[in-house]
Amino acid sequence: MKLTEEIRNFKAEAISEAGAAELREAARDARVWAVAATSAAKSGHPAGALSSMDIYITLLGAANVSPELADSPERDRIVVSHGHTSAGFYAALAEYGFFPAHEMAANFRRAGSPYQGHVERCVPGVDWGTGNLGQGLAAGVGFALAARARGSNYHTWVVMGDGEQVKGQLAEARRIAMKEKLTNLTAIVDWNDIQISGRLEEVMPADIPALWAADGWRVIKCRGHDCCEIYKALKEAKNSAVPAVVLCKTTMGKGVSFMEDVADYHGKPAAGEKLEQALKELGSDVSLFDALLEERKGAMPKGRSVTHEKPVLCTGRPHTYTKEDKKDNRWAFGRTLAEVGELNYKKPGSTPILVFDCDLAGSVRVDGFAKACPENFIEAGIQEHATATAAGAASAAGVVSVWADFGVFGSDEVYNQQRLNDINRAGVKTVLTHTGLDVGEDGMTHQCIDYVGLFANTYGWNVVVPADPNQTDRATRWMLAQPGNICLAMGRSPLPVILDEKGEPFYGGDYEFRDGKIDLLRGGKDAVVLAMGHLAGRAVEAAEALAEEGISVKVLHCATPLTMDKERLFAEVGDMPLVSCEDHNAQTGIGNIAAAAFARAGKALKIKSMGVTRYGLSGRNTDVLADMGLCAEGIAAAVREILK
Amino acid sequence: MKLTEEIRNFKAEAISEAGAAELREAARDARVWAVAATSAAKSGHPAGALSSMDIYITLLGAANVSPELADSPERDRIVVSHGHTSAGFYAALAEYGFFPAHEMAANFRRAGSPYQGHVERCVPGVDWGTGNLGQGLAAGVGFALAARARGSNYHTWVVMGDGEQVKGQLAEARRIAMKEKLTNLTAIVDWNDIQISGRLEEVMPADIPALWAADGWRVIKCRGHDCCEIYKALKEAKNSAVPAVVLCKTTMGKGVSFMEDVADYHGKPAAGEKLEQALKELGSDVSLFDALLEERKGAMPKGRSVTHEKPVLCTGRPHTYTKEDKKDNRWAFGRTLAEVGELNYKKPGSTPILVFDCDLAGSVRVDGFAKACPENFIEAGIQEHATATAAGAASAAGVVSVWADFGVFGSDEVYNQQRLNDINRAGVKTVLTHTGLDVGEDGMTHQCIDYVGLFANTYGWNVVVPADPNQTDRATRWMLAQPGNICLAMGRSPLPVILDEKGEPFYGGDYEFRDGKIDLLRGGKDAVVLAMGHLAGRAVEAAEALAEEGISVKVLHCATPLTMDKERLFAEVGDMPLVSCEDHNAQTGIGNIAAAAFARAGKALKIKSMGVTRYGLSGRNTDVLADMGLCAEGIAAAVREILK
């Protein structure tokens, strides 16, 4: 389009008459493809797509985006939070040449096609896959924070529906943006006043302008089908001295008479005569649709491949803690994080490290980093949902994004946000402290005994559970420089350094952290104990006690339960009885992974899975653990029992 | 206390001078026990306990609560949302005779004691266990809705901290309360302006009065250490024509000079000289503390036992769908729910059924219930977090609480809320529709392929995955009349009725749903297929196709993977090869449960776990399922392969 020369990067004061005509024509054409796409798929959300269309066409014309920039780190970011308007956003992208409109329309929601039901990153021009409502603004916050940390001038735009305005996570994101003064972020609401079940007032009343204003945002209103007004409002918002939201008054189903202002076509495409009428009203005809149906039988188009890049970081030299040191793992993590942070802070060529906290900096030991790298520390308050998504999106925009929190907040509370980070192939490093019964006095609600069981449901997350401060130091350095989503899980209490049979630190010196590796802590020939995390030290203690009784126990530790080297496990265990132990639900942690692996390999042996079998007590961590049998004596008893 | 006669149930217009003196003395005494308790435990949150103390003392004096009423369905409900102020709330309860103060203080946070670190229901007077912030108001909404549904006049009080005011779930709850005109609910905020990391303004700025006002709540302010003012404000709030919040301006650590207005004692008890000073300032001395340490070595006190009661319901007669019917499971669920709803609606003696929806009534098929029982249908908008907690709390207050939503919203998005429902021994019936790849075109973000893997991490949840509309009908009736938390999971698409070998509906007629049962759909002697949910029909189809090739396959279905009868499984499978199949993550569903069970029983056999092994495509459900091998032909191929 010629138009882009006029308004691209908001150059023009206002849109010219010729420009407006061009945008209107583009919007009309895109409406044809959006309607046709949903009808070809017999599935999708035509009315919402039509509602947001003029916003999409204007924004894509004026923002710093283009097919050539689709993978550029300096492009503006656009998050479509109401991902079900995919047909509309795809059609608008096609108008700007991101891909052919007919290809999109013919293959929309076709199994194997990149043009999926909700916007996904495999489509060029889509920066964040959405579909679960209310989460887009938090992703936008992440992109905006990444821009600032990288010293990049790109702007982030978040387009939302109105029904999702009541979702709590959205308000959390609004507050983080305000606190961080993210004037490089603009929110846009398609306010058509209809959601699936009817008018907003009937479904869940909310004073949308008041909600934004209560959090300090500047509220700008405009007519959402008038490109000139939209442009003016977006430009004003972009230049605002405080974060601004543009509320666009729109009509659901705009452009197709029988879809206008009715909830019925929210999730129902037009068919038959209705489709003919819709295409006619939009200035097209059904021959276009017939051609699409033909193309839909043809070759499958390919999408963009999305990967998470390995950061460029200097990770420094590990410390070796000796047996005299009695530090908790989180202390070691915090020290290492602060060191690596300082080594790379504002260093040209280094990927910036952003650290997020939810009002627990001292407990989760990110206070050292905050001191060393103050501009890269984000205090997000008690707002875990928005933080999880923001940290995820930031990691997809060229920073190393670390979020540390108590286990139940960083995994249980935000499981779905972490699942969506997985789907988006983000690379957030989630650091869980206070996991397990080791949380002690805080009791049931704070017992994070399911993080392995949760992340096991995803396809990309890795979980790292170090055994002692030495392994924590090395695992932290390893994690920070890895691509992809990784969870580092630690307990609360000080731990003895694990020693090898010569009395030297097992994970000290030249020990290098390796994903999937099983560590042989002690040799033995009567039984095997497979431990995870802080149970490793207790397992060694049990083995030493059993040795005095003449029972020879091999002790294995694996810090990465989800990627554990199964062949090595089979080789180490042989046909000895196996006791697994972990400060984690016994049904869903490393014991379960090991048991299922043996079963699937067709191997029978005696197995006992020790772990948490009910919610634990509230008291001293050693008492709470011992009550569950998770102590050296408990492990020794289990070994004696399995050898009977 | 005499005082209760004066202000109990807010009888008095205002507190008399004598009454005020009595309350102040009670608050002083309770402060002693709260401080002593945290110091005895060397753990806990003294400063927050002191901050909320005058609120607790006044509220417990004026609300309709007492030790005698602690288990009465008609008592007022008090939710302490900032559960870490437990020592304060417990001490206040002790002042009113709920239990001896010294017993609480001596056994606070002692492993095995009911006086846990965060408030838990095993302590008489605690109506909802909390600890994860921002969730108490939603619980209060649930209690208030239950009161209305039961025609009960009790009032619900929710006391919150100020740091948690920014949590999104809280705003969601605020809106549900407003929409439902819950004037039987009062919110109270302990506004001391300090959270763990410092002043609210520094950690996460929020205009607290503006946030409440934006959602339409009446905002009442008072001085939060003045019992007379608190009483007046609470009375005004209770009588308000719209839901009201009382913002109490308080001082963190009130009553102990060195704790006042500093963040340091948020989570740190006083010790040594500081403790002596604190006790002295509060008008006590260290001899009290020494006695507590002695008592702490003694016998462990017992807590209240909390169970979820079996509802009283007429569940009607099941329908039998024939092979000509091709209905989806959610349709059968919706029909049954509406029927059972109508049978019991406003019937004396029947437990009321409350149904919650998050803007998906038509899709999740609760629209029939909404029509039949309009007053018991709660449209909560796109606010899943608050809904999950509200539905949970309502179920703990004498109603059958049903919440239906798409799978990803009812499980993934609210996993932690469901975990807390488990900890609270609630009895919410969560109905998931659109689970699995069967969701079709909606794509990755909507693929709920982890619900078994999620709920497997809890200790109380049961999961029911019916195979066809007949089993759905019977499972729904069974579930509604059961105590405890139960998840009913269904796909999206119409399913053929499963027939027995004579061609009659397998789950029709007199078939009775039984928890844990394994159903023998087809006999066979070469291999076993264990199916879950809609894969059952496809497994039967595969068995019939294989029979023609001379391969005899036994087909088993188990609708309750978490309680599956393992002995029966071992007996049915024997040493035949086993193929499991499910529209669920292959690593965390029924196949994993079966594999781990065989391993733990020391049995070796050939096992193949079919299921979802990566995020699925976006397209026609049959295409998406077939792409993952989850079709009759895929199952048959797996059986052939395992028999090689």
Side-chain angles (χ1 to χ4, degrees), chain B residues 202-214:
Chain B
E202 296 154 14
V203 181
M204 184 48 60
D207 185 340
I208 294 175
L211 293 179
W212 288 88

Side-chain angles (χ1 to χ4, degrees), chain A residues 41-43 45 109-113 115-118 120 129-133 135 163-169 172 175-176 179 195-198 202-207 210-211 214-215 357 359-361 379-385 408-409 412-413 415-417 419-420 422-423 441-447 449-450 453-454 456-459 492 584-588 591-592 595-596 598-600 602-605 607 609 612-620 623-624, chain B residues 41-43 45 109-113 115-118 120 129-133 135 163-169 172 175-176 179 195-198 201-207 210-211 214-215 357 359-361 379-385 408-409 412-413 415-417 419-420 422-423 441-447 449-450 453-454 456-459 584-588 591-592 595-596 598-600 602-605 607 609 612-620 623-624:
Chain A
K42 295 182 187 148
S43 169
H45 302 80
R109 292 183 162 224
R110 179 183 173 199
S113 149
Y115 305 106
Q116 302 194 25
H118 291 80
E120 293 294 348
T130 63
N132 296 185
L133 290 168
Q135 319 207 348
E164 63 178 312
Q165 295 300 304
V166 296
K167 187 97 174 125
Q169 182 175 349
E172 296 180 355
R175 286 185 281 270
I176 301 175
K179 182 189 176 204
Q195 56 190 116
I196 295 181
S197 308
E202 296 155 12
V203 180
M204 184 47 61
D207 184 340
L211 293 178
D215 281 316
D357 173 51
D359 194 25
L360 289 170
E379 176 51 73
I382 305 172
Q383 306 188 122
E384 294 88 4
H385 292 108
V408 291
F409 305 129
D412 303 49
E413 178 76 355
Y415 168 72
N416 196 40
Q417 284 67 25
R419 182 182 73 96
L420 296 169
D422 187 41
I423 288 174
E441 290 86 352
D442 277 342
M444 296 191 279
T445 57
H446 283 57
Q447 288 165 3
I449 46 182
D450 45 13
L454 294 181
N457 289 296
T458 68
Y459 299 104
R492 175 186 194 174
H584 187 283
N585 189 316
Q587 293 299 317
T588 60
N592 172 65
F598 278 105
R600 292 201 177 103
K603 296 176 193 291
L605 66 160
I607 291 184
S609 308
V612 183
T613 55
R614 54 181 160 77
Y615 295 108
L617 306 175
S618 159
R620 239 191 341 227
D623 293 347
V624 178
Chain B
K42 295 182 187 148
S43 169
H45 302 80
R109 291 185 162 222
R110 178 181 174 203
S113 150
Y115 305 107
Q116 303 193 26
H118 290 82
E120 292 295 345
T130 62
N132 296 185
L133 290 168
Q135 319 207 350
E164 62 177 316
Q165 295 299 305
V166 296
K167 187 98 171 125
Q169 182 175 346
E172 296 179 356
R175 286 185 280 271
I176 301 175
K179 183 190 174 199
Q195 56 191 115
I196 296 181
S197 308
E201 188 58 29
E202 296 154 14
V203 181
M204 184 48 60
D207 185 340
L211 293 179
D215 282 316
D357 173 50
D359 195 25
L360 287 170
E379 175 52 72
I382 305 171
Q383 305 189 122
E384 294 88 5
H385 293 108
V408 291
F409 304 129
D412 304 49
E413 179 75 357
Y415 168 73
N416 197 40
Q417 286 65 26
R419 181 181 75 95
L420 296 168
D422 188 39
I423 288 174
E441 289 86 353
D442 278 342
M444 298 190 279
T445 58
H446 283 57
Q447 288 165 3
I449 46 183
D450 45 13
L454 293 180
N457 289 297
T458 69
Y459 299 104
H584 187 283
N585 189 315
Q587 293 299 318
T588 60
N592 172 66
F598 278 105
R600 293 201 177 104
K603 297 177 192 291
L605 66 160
I607 291 184
S609 308
V612 182
T613 53
R614 54 179 161 77
Y615 296 109
L617 305 175
S618 159
R620 241 192 339 230
D623 293 347
V624 178

